[in-house]
Amino acid sequence: MPQGALLRSPGGLSAAQVFRLQGSVPASKLRARLAQLLTACARDPEDRVVTLVTLSLAALDGHDAYDELAGALGKDAPLPRRNGDDVMRSTQADVLVQVAAGDVEARLWPLRRAVDALRGIATLEEELQGGRIGKGREPFGFVDGVRAPTPEEVRDVVTIPRGKAAGATWLFYQRWQQRLELFASLRDRAQENVMGITRDGGEMPNAPKDSHVTLAREYHRGVAGAFIRRGFPIRSWGEEGLAFLAAAKDPRAFALALDIMLGVAGPPDALLRYAYPVGGGLYVAPPSAEWLSATGASTRL
Ligand code: HEM
């Protein structure tokens, strides 16, 4: 079973935090703290908030599943990614926490808890607050999350089925900035040509080949390209964008998607003229606190 937070999203308020481990702190210490955080976050009797706790592959060094996870990733991490001069850079850190809450106060709790849990060993590098996961309208005004996957579909797409990493999930994160003014200067039809769907999520029979959804469907329909999107719109100091988050059992799905966006084997995604990625990285969602503590005696705290 994947971490429970991957299957539920109780409300319209999201948040994400990214932490970086401080220099000489052993990965096993981070994992012990995260196991406590996972246990604490699982106890929300009123069901007002869910918290997804993830960590980098590097932070799993010494864990029983490390070799299998590293083998599945191979040498091709999704970020950094480039095609000629176009580069999507990596800001890979060590912990990513994603929160979905029903009200503002409930959203604050896990954010405070995570900072407390990691005090003295990791530094908060990013904190984003925004809207609903995969529903509603993204900042350009297009309906997002046209069809929400069922819990069974999520389980099937995101859960590593066997081996020492069974139950774990890869989580890809990329923060996007959207050029709202530039996009707004396009006529309605031209905007739809960029996205490849109508504003309300309707089909466009003759959508341009480089439109976002047309290109996305090229890989997304196949098993190898399958991931579940769980991003949310963000706004901070007048800047808007998307915290793109996606979960999969096969980490190669993300590299494939980004290569197609960058136009490695065809036209680049038209969306890249109106939005650009700021950074991101790849994380692993452990299935449980117990799994996180399953390390050889030499690295156990
Ligand atoms: C600013 C960045 C982005 C914006 C504004 C955006 C917006 C959208 C919108 C409006 C849709 C159609 C509605 C829906 O199905 O939810 C969509 C679909 C999709 N997007 Fe994005 N997206 C962004 C980045 C990305 C990235 C980075 C990826 C992959 C790495 C991606 C992959 C997809 C996929 C797979 C679909 C579903 C296509 C389908 O099967 O119909 N998007 N996106």
Side-chain angles (χ1 to χ4, degrees), residues 136-138 140-146 183 187-208 211-214 217:
R137 290 186 187 261
E138 53 73 48
F140 288 151
F142 280 66
V143 166
D144 207 352
V146 172
F183 193 78
R187 289 174 188 276
D188 284 359
R189 183 69 187 181
Q191 293 187 346
E192 293 182 338
N193 280 339
V194 171
M195 301 307 276
I197 48 165
T198 68
R199 300 181 83 71
D200 295 326
E203 293 296 318
M204 280 179 71
N206 296 314
S211 61
H212 178 61
V213 166
T214 307
R217 284 181 182 164

Side-chain angles (χ1 to χ4, degrees), residues 171-188:
L171 186 85
F172 174 69
Y173 161 61
Q174 198 174 30
R175 182 153 69 85
W176 285 77
Q177 196 97 350
Q178 292 177 237
R179 303 180 202 265
L180 296 194
E181 256 181 64
L182 188 61
F183 193 78
S185 70
L186 300 177
R187 289 174 188 276
D188 284 359

